[in-house]
Amino acid sequence: MADSEIRAPAQLDAGGGAAPTPADVPLPWAEPAEPLNREPGFRGVDVPAEADLYRCVHCGLCLSSCPTYSTLRVETESPRGRIALMKAVHEGRAGISSRIVSHWEMCLQCRACEAVCPSGVPYGRIMEYSRAQVLAQGKQGGNLKRIDRLFLRAALPHPRRLRFGAHLLRLYQKSGLRRLVRASGLLKLLPASLAGMEAQLPELTGPFFGPRRPVYPAQNPPASPPADGATANRPTPTVGLLSGCVMPLMQGATMHAAVRVLTRNGCNVAVPPGQGCCGALNLHAGDLETARRLARRNIDTFLAAGAGKDGFKIITASAGCGSNMKEYGELLKNDPEYAEPARRFSALTVDITEFLAALPLTPPTGRVPRRVTYQDPCHLAHAQRITQPPRALLQSIPGLELVEMEASTMCCGGAGIYAMTQPELAGQILAAKLENINNTGAAQVVTANPGCMLQIEQGLNAAGGRHQVKHVVDLLDEAYGG
Amino acid sequence: MQRQGFIDRLKAIVGDDYVIAHPEDLLVYEYDGSVDRAMPRAVVLPASAGEVSRTLALAYQEGVPVVGRGSGTGLSGGALAPPGGIQIAFTRMNRILEVDTENRTATIEPGVINLDLDNHVRKFGMRYAPDPSSQKACSLGGNIAENAGGPHCLAYGATTNHVLALEVALEDGTMVNLGGPAREVPGYDLRGVFVGSEGTFGIATQITVRLLPLPETVKTFLGIFPDIESACSAVSAVIGHGIVPAALEMIDALSIRAVQQVTDAGYPEDAGAVLLIELEGLWEEVDEVSREVESALWETGAGEVRVAEEDRERERLWLGRKTAFGAFGAIAPNYYLVDGVVPRTRLSQVLRKVSEVSEKYGIIIANVFHAGDGNLHPCMLFDGREPGVTERAMAGAAELMEYCVAVGGTLSGEHGIGLEKKQFMPLVFTDADLAVMRRTRDAFAPANRLNPGKIFPDDDGFYQIVPQPTPPPGDTGMYV
Amino acid sequence: MTEPIAQQLADLLGRDTVLMPDGAGGAANTPELEKYAVDGLAPQVVVQPTDRESIARLMQWAAARQVAVLPRGGGVLSALGNRPAQVDVALDLSRYNRVLDYQPADLTVTVEPGVTLQTLSRELARGGKFVPLESPLSHRATLGGILAANASGPLRHAYGLARDWLIGISVVGADGVETKAGGKVVKNVTGYDLNKLYTGSLGTLGVIVEASFKLAPLMDEWAALAAPFPSMDAAIAAGRSLIAQVYAPQGLQVVNRPAARRLNLTADSAAGAYVLALFAGRPRAVGRRREESARLLGQSGATAVESLDGAAGQALLRQVTDLGWSDDTIPALGMRVNLPPTAVGQLVAAIVGESAGESGAELGLVADLGFGVAHLLRWPETFDQAAAGNEEPAGDAVIAGSLSEIERMQALARSMGGTVVVEHCAPAVKARIDVWGGAATEAELEIMRRIKQNFDPLGLLNPGRFMGRL
């Protein structure tokens, strides 16, 4: 094992004599003295931590949970493989080449591997830092680069631009302009990925939602009184609701439902102005700076609105946002001013299903006689490890039949902007999901994350019909009578 | 350009997308679950036995050695590429071809994952008994190569006891069927000697295994002990009562803490050791035996005995056991697994030796193992970045293996010899013993082109192992 | 010519070890040597070693002189195999018969090859353990012989074969060098699993000088059921349904009327077949298995269900195991057909159907429905009748009849994924067939040939007797 005995590196493509025998074949597997490529490696502070990387003992128990590995069956598209590539870069055996980047970008960042990892490798975190390195070195793949510029940076962080864009889009969809554009063949002039994005644009039919100064007042007192029976003196708790970026525009109805369900369960609901996008998509794309800026904005807004006082929790109906907000502490750990508030903010964040299931829930009385199946959002099941609360809420609805689909915790392929950056693979992953959904015979799919709702709905509708994927709170709201 | 031609010819067999030959991509095929690594020259991902056969024929003609690779979860370096060799990865050949419920057999491709097969046949009231801890990830092809074991091998035997028929590609691409659908096959037991040959005889392309009916009753006990000594005497007491449970596993204090840190398996963190005991069979058998097991546990000093009869509870207890090796990653970045087997009555003696070795070499050693079989798994936990520590760990492992052999045991119970333990083979076998084994291999693979350099200590001395990791100096030390 | 060999061996190994032809002239075979004859070929000398050094020296000596050596244990299964190509020295291992290392608490035992199954079982029982191996004539059958011939019995369904219990082996090779594989631990992947290779190799790869087995706890209780059925079809249908139950017996055999007569089964004189269910285990479990099995057999059309306790159950088990090998049951033609379990019923149906009615009853059938093996036994008197009054025991008609019956069975078995081994036949028949015929493909045979070539290049160990005349 002494280094001195290791032979010279071999070039894989170097010519060799005819019919080499094992003894005279050079040793491509030996530790190369030179790295495999000339690209730079990890630099700066936003790098995967060595302690995180070497928690991975390459046991392989993550493989079967990974949607890309399950679909493509190659180690390069597996969590273990991606970590091995990070290790190789970290060890200086390879630099961040576009080939290595392509494997990292193929990752959905669904974190299914993280949930099953026996060593507790914080996969989401090391992938985010790796993406940050990719971005810093300008190595993002074409699709991602375009979407990052056009959407993640130029639109998402700016609520007014988003709202304006949404109005335009609604106009585009409703006015018949779209039919015109589609018929005209103009789309063919766009790069395939953008044309695909056009096709994926959701129908903006519902009401919009947004932050506002007045608090939505509680409709009921809390369902069951505390043990001491001091109902009268018990203050009505106020909670803060994250409005977010796209969800209030695309799924405004769900946001309104969330407010109604919360107020019906005895909460005043604040949606403080000044808040905005949580920054999750920026973080996943490796744009830590934007993510941090957005995090600071939300921290300021919610703490100023009273988060932390008198049981004031920060609630989100978006699993992806919740997962990110619960990790603001990590994101801002090196920020002297925000490190502590970020940790506090993270500790106060709860998913709406988690929050409701922990309450003595006001029992829904309206019947929803429907067979539904529940899709576990990755960032709820894997990142936040919340799987039972949404099911418990659904099962509390009279008449509703919950049937489990096979592999309900497997990603649907939506994964934030993944369906746009990797349309082909996302399509394959979605197809597997749709098959599992169809096998249940359920009339409706329920989930708890806006991205999953869009992706699955689009998948179901592409196969024909007009399906509406619902959020858990939509069904609760329906059972409460809307 | 000859070399380029070889890759192109591989592509012509399986398709462009299914040959991986770029060195950056090959970085992810240079490891398995063990501490070594070796980069293949190319990885071929065939979709059929025919493609396997043609790949082998081409490699044979070119003098390129070949190794099969399932999921790369092995712990002895068995699937690492031989020098200058290629890997045939079976991840695409993962279909369950047939389940014969009447004869209780299943025919599968080698890339099928062990647990996927088990889950599938459970729908028909049957099971595939061998259940390695990596069953969620490991492939049946790999199980055949290593003769994989698992907790339930105590009652049901290892992989070899469950294999009926194999379709095998030999080193030159010739296809041969070994065994058959009948349990007994006259002639030399080629299928029997093939299982556990670590990929050196041939590469299985189709496998027929025997299935067992699901038991009527299953009951799992968690015996909680103040120390490992008393847990060992409980093992002896159980076996001594004439009870061979379906599984009898031991988890020591360090492993309990490692597991609980990541996965809540319900093991008490202040216990000195726990025993996981599973009984299966007719209700009457389980009922009768469980009383004897319980009293054996109490008599030998159990502080508490928990019983799980519901599937979810049992699954939780087993999850901890099955994720234990991975959980060691939370303690230290490297582990070296000693897989020695000793007569069951020597367990406590050998475990004392394990603590001695731990102290002598300054290496943390965790123990989580198949106590009922006497199959120890002392796990040497270390940080390879600390200078000299790898050598100390290896020296400690060597001393432990020597000790296992000295008390009447052997080197490996289920993980295989591969690269990792081949230098220890002379502890068990003479040159003459090894020569007979070589003669057997030469009957299957006269040119020794399949996985050369494994198993035999003096084979292919040019084989060079690269231990990993070797990162640049950073903050070293354990993470706990 | 014979004198020098015997004399040389006596000089080499000592007079006590060598059974010599009597009379200094030693011209022909003596009755003593005749006992060691294989297919009528008597050895020139018999060696009876009591230590393994003698075995090693014998093999070195034999290799140097190209003398054929035929290892044997109790001689119980010596009818198995092709006619030997050469018979020089019979290596009788029955005196090399100690139990070397019995560790009840470890559930292991190590023995010399000559110990009989009966002796070992008694010894093991004293420590509360047993080795679930079976062989005809267990009082004579040695462990070495059981391994070499891969002998088994009705409990193979529950306990498997010798290959499943052998954990370590030492062998003196054709070059006289002793080597080992496996060990004394119950789980072992250190090196190739040559235990499997030697098991069932009929002594053609080496002389077994030591074997280690894993053990099971001694069974507390034994029991059996014998249920007569009107027809073979009905018995097989009932047996198949029973073996699929959770309370299935440890062994299940279906025997036809001629076989039942040899087993002295008398519960129903009109019965066309019997289902025999064998139980072993803890009392309560055996009780339930037996009770529920009896009920199912009753519901499936058994005309009676006879229950045999303890010793009676074990006696029946022994009788079934011995059938075809005990002196009074040796058939003129005996075949063992290995099949997937469900094919056993098909095979039997095909045989009964083809030989229709009367003549079908002339053939003894013993079918193991759980494991998948059927024994076909044609006993001399019935065979003679079938040969239509031919006076010669092995006349042309008998030979032709045997050959065609063997061929038919091989074709039938092959079509069902099975194999046939001819265990008993007339010497004249044996001379014309490979008794293992057709059981392996050419590709498998090629590997077997290379194994034999690599292990015994001079072809001195049991030459010609194994598959492909290896």
Side-chain angles (χ1 to χ4, degrees):
Chain A
M1 287 184 198
D3 284 1
S4 58
E5 283 174 47
I6 296 171
R7 293 196 193 174
Q11 295 301 49
L12 274 177
D13 297 332
T21 61
D24 59 33
V25 168
L27 306 179
W29 40 270
E31 191 73 0
E34 303 277 324
L36 293 172
N37 60 50
R38 299 266 166 212
E39 306 294 335
F42 291 146
R43 293 164 165 180
V45 282
D46 289 329
V47 295
E50 190 172 277
D52 289 349
L53 289 179
Y54 289 95
R55 265 186 113 112
C56 174
V57 293
H58 38 95
C59 66
L61 292 192
C62 55
L63 295 174
S64 58
S65 70
C66 175
T68 60
Y69 179 80
S70 300
T71 309
L72 299 169
R73 318 291 309 165
V74 285
E75 186 83 13
T76 40
E77 312 307 345
S78 74
R80 184 171 63 166
R82 293 180 185 116
I83 295 172
L85 293 175
M86 292 174 202
K87 284 179 175 174
V89 171
H90 176 79
E91 291 166 15
R93 300 175 65 211
I96 304 175
S97 67
S98 57
R99 181 174 283 268
I100 287 176
V101 168
S102 73
H103 300 313
W104 289 342
E105 287 185 350
M106 197 72 98
C107 173
L108 295 145
Q109 293 170 291
C110 70
R111 295 166 70 173
C113 53
E114 187 173 322
V116 298
C117 176
S119 322
V121 173
Y123 181 87
R125 184 156 90 198
I126 58 178
M127 181 52 78
E128 284 152 13
Y129 286 123
S130 297
R131 293 275 180 97
Q133 292 291 313
V134 173
L135 181 70
Q137 298 187 17
K139 298 274 178 53
Q140 284 176 317
N143 280 355
L144 180 57
K145 199 175 277 178
R146 256 193 304 278
I147 293 159
D148 188 19
R149 280 210 203 108
L150 286 177
F151 182 59
L152 298 190
R153 284 163 198 259
L156 271 195
H158 309 286
R160 256 179 258 143
R161 282 188 215 169
L162 273 178
R163 192 170 273 257
F164 179 67
H167 279 295
L168 279 185
L169 180 61
R170 188 185 280 186
L171 202 64
Y172 169 74
Q173 290 174 339
K174 284 191 173 163
S175 66
L177 186 60
R178 173 167 62 181
R179 237 173 301 141
L180 197 67
V181 168
R182 287 185 175 175
S184 72
L186 267 179
L187 287 171
K188 290 184 190 136
L189 300 177
L190 293 172
S193 61
L194 286 187
M197 284 160 63
E198 193 275 348
Q200 284 170 14
L201 287 172
E203 299 288 334
L204 293 184
T205 49
F208 289 167
F209 180 81
R212 62 174 211 173
R213 207 149 297 281
V215 169
Y216 294 95
Q219 298 300 304
N220 292 354
S224 54
D228 59 8
T231 323
N233 300 333
R234 193 171 164 211
T236 305
T238 300
V239 296
L241 183 65
L242 179 81
S243 171
C245 49
V246 179
M247 194 176 178
L249 305 174
M250 293 192 180
Q251 287 130 340
T254 299
M255 294 304 296
H256 287 291
V259 169
R260 282 193 297 273
V261 168
L262 286 168
T263 55
R264 201 174 285 263
N265 276 283
C267 298
N268 300 318
V269 179
V271 191
Q275 62 166 303
C277 174
C278 73
L281 295 181
N282 307 86
L283 176 66
H284 296 160
D287 181 3
L288 299 191
E289 278 326 303
T290 306
R292 284 175 180 139
R293 191 155 43 81
L294 297 175
R296 284 191 290 260
R297 182 171 72 185
N298 282 337
I299 292 168
D300 286 343
T301 306
F302 278 92
L303 292 184
K309 291 179 196 138
D310 305 322
F312 186 120
K313 296 211 170 193
I314 304 162
I315 293 179
T316 171
S318 157
C321 304
S323 151
N324 182 35
M325 288 153 70
K326 285 180 176 180
E327 287 163 10
Y328 276 179
E330 166 69 22
L331 184 65
L332 293 166
K333 68 180 175 195
N334 294 324
D335 183 324
E337 195 187 335
Y338 276 88
E340 191 279 331
R343 274 199 301 275
R344 203 142 39 90
F345 182 98
S346 289
L348 290 169
T349 303
V350 285
D351 185 79
I352 192 163
T353 61
E354 183 185 12
F355 179 80
L356 290 171
L359 290 179
L361 192 74
T362 304
T365 48
R367 282 182 65 81
V368 181
R370 199 175 305 155
R371 188 179 167 97
V372 304
T373 189
Y374 176 70
Q375 159 70 14
D376 285 281
C378 297
H379 283 85
L380 199 58
H382 308 315
Q384 302 182 58
R385 315 282 164 96
I386 295 171
T387 54
Q388 284 314 308
R391 290 180 167 80
L393 294 177
L394 290 174
Q395 276 156 344
S396 74
I397 298 174
L400 184 133
E401 184 196 358
L402 175 63
V403 283
E404 291 291 342
M405 72 174 91
E406 194 135 324
S408 68
T409 59
M410 194 64 115
C411 184
C412 63
I417 54 168
Y418 191 88
M420 292 184 266
T421 59
Q422 307 283 354
E424 195 184 326
L425 187 54
Q428 289 177 41
I429 293 169
L430 176 62
K433 177 59 65 186
L434 295 177
E435 193 185 328
N436 286 333
I437 288 171
N438 289 332
N439 287 344
T440 61
Q444 191 158 55
V445 181
V446 191
T447 182
N449 186 52
C452 314
M453 292 167 71
L454 284 178
Q455 167 83 349
I456 295 172
E457 191 167 291
Q458 192 238 327
L460 289 171
N461 290 338
R466 287 195 58 82
H467 296 269
Q468 269 201 318
V469 175
K470 292 289 190 185
H471 193 288
V472 174
V473 293
D474 286 325
L475 291 198
L476 267 181
D477 184 49
E478 192 180 337
Y480 283 134
Chain B
M1 286 301 98
Q2 187 88 18
R3 191 69 50 83
Q4 191 56 49
F6 175 61
I7 301 294
D8 284 342
R9 285 156 75 192
L10 289 174
K11 287 181 176 171
I13 295 170
V14 295
D16 287 358
D17 291 349
Y18 301 114
V19 175
I20 295 172
H22 194 285
E24 290 170 23
D25 291 344
L26 293 175
L27 281 168
V28 307
Y29 284 96
E30 64 174 6
Y31 53 77
D32 59 7
S34 72
V35 298
D36 304 321
R37 67 184 182 204
M39 193 182 272
R41 191 164 136 190
V43 178
V44 179
L45 298 129
S48 67
E51 290 182 2
V52 175
S53 164
R54 274 178 281 152
T55 302
L56 279 164
L58 174 62
Y60 185 76
Q61 187 192 327
E62 294 289 318
V64 175
V66 181
V67 60
R69 183 184 191 276
S71 303
T73 58
L75 291 172
S76 58
L80 296 187
I86 60 170
Q87 284 176 333
I88 298 183
F90 281 94
T91 45
R92 291 175 68 219
M93 286 178 67
N94 63 344
R95 288 176 304 164
I96 296 172
L97 301 172
E98 191 197 355
V99 175
D100 180 340
T101 51
E102 283 201 75
N103 284 309
R104 291 184 180 141
T105 64
T107 300
I108 52 170
E109 291 183 325
V112 170
I113 304 304
N114 177 301
L115 186 61
D116 290 350
L117 172 64
D118 189 52
N119 283 337
H120 182 74
V121 302
R122 274 173 193 267
K123 293 175 200 154
F124 306 103
M126 297 182 294
R127 75 203 293 196
Y128 177 65
D131 57 341
S133 295
S134 58
Q135 71 178 141
K136 217 178 100 185
C138 63
S139 71
L140 270 302
N143 290 175
I144 301 280
E146 302 296 328
N147 187 14
H152 288 82
C153 290
L154 177 56
Y156 304 110
T159 301
T160 188
N161 304 101
H162 301 270
V163 176
L164 288 175
L166 296 167
E167 178 190 77
V168 167
L170 299 178
E171 61 177 359
D172 61 356
T174 308
M175 300 301 296
V176 52
N177 290 300
L178 308 180
R183 294 260 318 257
E184 188 175 336
V185 180
Y188 295 139
D189 186 0
L190 300 182
R191 128 199 97 171
V193 75
F194 184 93
V195 177
S197 62
E198 304 197 17
T200 60
F201 285 8
I203 294 182
T205 53
Q206 192 175 303
I207 301 162
T208 302
V209 294
R210 200 156 66 84
L211 305 171
L212 300 179
L214 287 174
E216 182 180 70
T217 310
V218 183
K219 205 165 174 182
T220 308
F221 293 82
L222 185 72
I224 298 160
F225 289 85
D227 51 59
I228 203 151
E229 285 279 318
S230 51
C232 280
S233 32
V235 173
S236 298
V238 169
I239 302 280
H241 265 83
I243 299 165
V244 179
L248 173 44
E249 302 284 306
M250 186 170 326
I251 303 157
D252 77 353
L254 184 60
S255 310
I256 291 171
R257 287 206 300 277
V259 167
Q260 287 293 126
Q261 212 175 55
V262 184
T263 310
D264 181 12
Y267 306 157
E269 295 190 40
D270 56 350
V274 296
L275 285 182
L276 202 52
I277 303 178
E278 192 147 282
L279 301 176
E280 296 180 345
L282 282 192
W283 185 86
E284 286 81 358
E285 280 157 351
V286 172
D287 181 59
E288 190 175 337
V289 173
S290 65
R291 265 176 260 170
E292 292 172 28
V293 165
E294 251 182 278
S295 65
L297 296 181
W298 290 121
E299 278 163 26
T300 47
E304 194 187 336
V305 178
R306 296 184 197 161
V307 186
E309 285 180 83
E310 301 217 339
D311 284 352
R312 246 172 74 189
E313 269 176 281
R314 295 196 305 106
E315 275 162 23
R316 181 162 168 239
L317 290 177
W318 278 110
L319 181 68
R321 168 63 186 86
K322 298 212 165 181
T323 56
F325 292 142
F328 295 143
I331 295 179
N334 298 83
Y335 71 80
Y336 181 88
L337 180 85
V338 179
D339 184 29
V341 196
V342 297
R344 294 170 249 235
T345 46
R346 303 297 189 110
L347 277 180
S348 60
Q349 179 188 347
V350 178
L351 287 168
R352 275 198 298 278
K353 178 71 181 179
V354 171
S355 338
E356 269 174 49
V357 165
S358 168
E359 214 154 289
K360 178 172 164 190
Y361 293 92
I363 300 285
I364 295 178
I365 306 180
N367 290 288
V368 44
F369 62 98
H370 311 302
D373 287 321
N375 187 186
L376 293 155
H377 286 335
C379 226
M380 328 281 292
L381 307 178
F382 59 98
D383 184 337
R385 293 166 293 183
E386 245 176 77
V389 73
T390 306
E391 291 72 14
R392 287 210 314 275
M394 295 301 160
E399 191 167 327
L400 277 180
M401 277 185 252
E402 273 171 49
Y403 196 78
C404 286
V405 173
V407 302
T410 194
L411 299 177
S412 179
E414 56 181 10
H415 293 294
I417 299 301
L419 280 180
E420 289 207 327
K421 292 176 178 76
K422 67 174 192 166
Q423 72 269 34
F424 301 111
M425 284 290 268
L427 291 174
V428 182
F429 293 116
T430 63
D431 287 350
D433 298 339
L434 294 172
V436 172
M437 292 186 188
R438 261 200 208 90
R439 267 176 233 157
T440 312
R441 180 192 67 197
D442 291 348
F444 284 87
N448 191 20
R449 291 283 172 68
L450 295 175
N451 216 7
K454 310 282 173 76
I455 304 176
F456 297 100
D458 52 350
D459 246 25
D460 311 308
F462 57 88
Y463 214 106
Q464 185 60 52
I465 303 165
V466 185
Q468 65 166 327
T470 47
D475 52 333
T476 59
M478 303 288 175
Y479 304 145
V480 285
Chain C
M1 289 299 287
T2 55
E3 174 71 8
I5 286 187
Q7 195 55 53
Q8 281 178 47
L9 281 172
D11 293 346
L12 185 72
L13 306 172
R15 281 204 81 85
D16 293 349
T17 303
V18 180
L19 188 67
M20 297 177 64
D22 52 17
N29 297 321
T30 66
E32 196 64 15
L33 291 179
E34 284 290 350
K35 283 192 210 154
Y36 288 88
V38 176
D39 294 328
L41 302 173
Q44 301 177 38
V45 59
V46 176
V47 176
Q48 298 176 312
T50 53
D51 61 85
R52 65 182 75 183
E53 291 71 27
S54 300
I55 299 168
R57 270 188 306 201
L58 165 69
M59 292 313 299
Q60 281 158 11
W61 174 90
R65 285 159 193 76
Q66 307 216 8
V67 167
V69 177
L70 281 70
R72 63 179 266 149
V76 172
L77 300 171
S78 61
L80 199 60
N82 290 319
R83 196 178 146 89
Q86 190 184 337
V87 180
D88 297 321
V89 178
L91 172 55
D92 176 1
L93 292 156
S94 61
R95 289 198 204 165
Y96 188 45
N97 60 2
R98 285 168 302 170
V99 173
L100 295 175
D101 183 15
Y102 174 27
Q103 299 292 340
D106 290 329
L107 290 175
T108 60
V109 70
T110 300
V111 300
E112 291 174 345
V115 64
T116 65
L117 181 57
Q118 188 179 67
T119 305
L120 178 64
S121 300
R122 283 183 185 153
E123 173 87 21
L124 295 178
R126 276 198 280 276
K129 304 293 176 283
F130 96 119
V131 60
L133 300 180
E134 296 167 287
S135 170
L137 315 183
S138 62
H139 60 288
R140 268 173 56 203
T142 65
L143 270 295
I146 289 171
L147 287 175
N150 201 14
S152 64
L155 296 177
R156 56 177 92 81
H157 167 60
Y159 296 107
L161 300 171
R163 76 195 287 277
D164 298 307
W165 295 90
L166 179 69
I167 55 174
I169 197 164
S170 289
V171 164
V172 169
D175 55 2
V177 177
E178 181 183 332
T179 59
K180 66 181 174 302
K184 289 184 177 183
V185 286
V186 298
K187 197 173 169 196
N188 192 346
V189 295
T190 313
Y192 297 139
D193 190 358
L194 301 186
N195 291 312
K196 302 286 183 293
L197 188 60
Y198 292 122
T199 304
S201 68
L202 207 73
T204 56
L205 299 177
V207 180
I208 298 168
V209 294
E210 186 179 303
S212 298
F213 297 90
K214 60 176 177 176
L215 303 174
L218 193 62
M219 293 297 157
D220 303 316
E221 189 146 313
W222 295 85
L225 293 175
F229 281 80
S231 70
M232 196 65 183
D233 282 350
I236 283 182
R240 278 185 57 179
S241 126
L242 177 55
I243 206 71
Q245 303 301 321
V246 69
Y247 52 80
Q250 273 72 24
L252 190 141
Q253 310 281 307
V254 175
V255 297
N256 72 350
R257 193 170 154 146
R261 209 168 52 230
R262 304 258 167 184
L263 293 169
N264 304 316
L265 293 169
T266 53
D268 179 353
S269 56
Y274 279 77
V275 170
L276 308 178
L278 304 154
F279 306 90
R282 288 178 175 252
R284 277 171 60 198
V286 166
R288 168 158 161 226
R289 282 181 201 277
R290 185 166 64 168
E291 211 171 287
E292 296 208 33
S293 298
R295 188 176 315 129
L296 184 82
L297 290 172
Q299 286 162 359
S300 311
T303 54
V305 180
E306 188 184 359
S307 193
L308 304 157
D309 291 327
Q314 275 181 296
L316 177 62
L317 175 62
R318 200 163 44 242
Q319 264 187 301
V320 176
T321 313
D322 289 352
L323 192 69
W325 299 95
S326 54
D327 287 342
D328 52 342
T329 64
I330 293 176
L333 177 63
M335 286 182 274
R336 175 192 175 95
V337 190
N338 304 295
L339 292 161
T342 51
V344 174
Q346 295 167 38
L347 179 95
V348 171
I351 295 168
V352 172
E354 266 182 53
S355 39
E358 298 306 304
S359 62
E362 309 306 327
L363 185 67
L365 285 170
V366 183
D368 184 331
L369 297 188
F371 182 89
V373 60
H375 281 97
L376 282 65
L377 308 161
R378 224 177 244 297
W379 283 289
E381 63 268 35
T382 60
F383 198 75
D384 282 350
Q385 288 158 18
N390 193 315
E391 294 298 322
E392 292 293 318
D396 288 348
V398 174
I399 293 170
S402 289
L403 290 174
S404 83
E405 187 153 9
I406 291 166
E407 220 165 273
R408 185 167 59 104
M409 205 50 61
Q410 285 172 342
L412 202 54
R414 207 166 19 242
S415 73
M416 295 170 177
T419 53
V420 176
V421 177
V422 178
E423 293 183 324
H424 286 99
C425 65
V429 174
K430 206 179 233 191
R432 300 183 195 195
I433 59 165
D434 181 343
V435 301
W436 316 90
T441 61
E442 185 47 40
E444 280 176 290
L445 264 179
E446 181 51 34
I447 297 173
M448 292 185 201
R449 276 187 213 112
R450 290 202 292 246
I451 290 174
K452 174 71 176 177
Q453 172 66 26
N454 292 353
F455 277 67
D456 179 17
L458 300 173
L460 301 177
L461 284 162
N462 252 344
R465 291 183 71 189
F466 202 52
M467 183 179 288
R469 303 198 188 277
L470 294 175

